[in-house]
DNA sequence: AATGTGACTGACT
DNA sequence: AAGTCAGCCACAT
């Protein structure tokens, strides 16, 4: 429990663990499902670090081996500058809405 | 030390 | 429904 007026900041060790957790969670996203940066951050225990999830997936070499195309924003938007992401998702049955975003209602994976 | 930058989110037009 | 904005936080300069 952290003081509400003093934001807790990650130590380098925290960051290392967080990165590991993020990659492990992404590895578990089922085929045909997606999850959000915020969901992953919360599951890893750092609810306010959704931006860090994006950074990790963008820059970690290990992400090449993971289904990181199954990570989208809470609005269902795919990653900027990565057009293949949409194709990959469609190939595994993920459906999109008329606005071009993933149908989150149908495909949002949130483990209990 | 200070500032700018995102693979983000929530609230508000 | 689609944009804007402020808050978010580690990192790079």
């Amino acid at each position: 429990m952290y003081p509400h007026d003093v934001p807790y900041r990650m130590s380098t060790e925290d960051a290392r663990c967080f990165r590991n957790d993020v990659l492990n969670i992404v590895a578990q996203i089922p085929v045909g499902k997606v999850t959000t940066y915020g969901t992953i951050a919360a599951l890893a225990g750092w609810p306010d670090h959704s931006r860090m999830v994006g950074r990790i997936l963008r820059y970690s070499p290990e992400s090449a081996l993971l289904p990181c195309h199954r990570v989208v924003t809470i609005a269902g938007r795919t990653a900027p500058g990565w057009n293949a992401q949409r194709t990959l998702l469609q190939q595994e049955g993920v459906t999109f809405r008329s606005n071009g975003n993933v149908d989150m209602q149908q495909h949002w994976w949130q483990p209990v």
Side-chain angles (χ1 to χ4, degrees):
Chain A
M1 195 57 178
Y2 316 126
H4 71 280
D5 55 339
V6 181
Y8 184 82
R9 307 190 86 75
M10 277 186 169
S11 65
T12 34
E13 180 62 11
D14 289 332
R16 189 186 62 77
C17 292
F18 181 69
R19 182 171 142 284
N20 264 317
D21 290 344
V22 166
L23 298 176
N24 283 325
I25 291 165
V26 170
Q28 296 180 252
I29 308 174
V31 175
K33 291 291 184 180
V34 300
T35 196
T36 73
Y37 300 94
T39 300
I40 294 170
L43 286 173
W46 296 87
D48 296 329
H49 289 238
S50 53
R51 305 194 81 135
M52 298 304 102
V53 174
R55 171 184 296 281
I56 288 164
L57 295 186
R58 173 69 178 79
Y59 295 109
S60 293
E62 302 93 309
S63 69
L65 307 173
L66 299 175
C68 51
H69 61 282
R70 300 181 189 140
V71 183
V72 297
T73 73
I74 197 172
R77 193 168 48 218
T78 53
W82 186 19
N83 297 322
Q85 182 178 13
R86 177 177 177 128
T87 309
L88 288 169
L89 288 173
Q90 285 175 326
Q91 283 173 356
E92 41 186 70
V94 173
T95 58
F96 288 71
R97 311 188 345 156
S98 54
N99 65 2
N101 292 357
V102 170
D103 185 343
M104 298 303 282
Q105 181 101 301
Q106 283 291 322
H107 301 105
W108 191 353
W109 175 72
Q110 300 181 79
V112 290

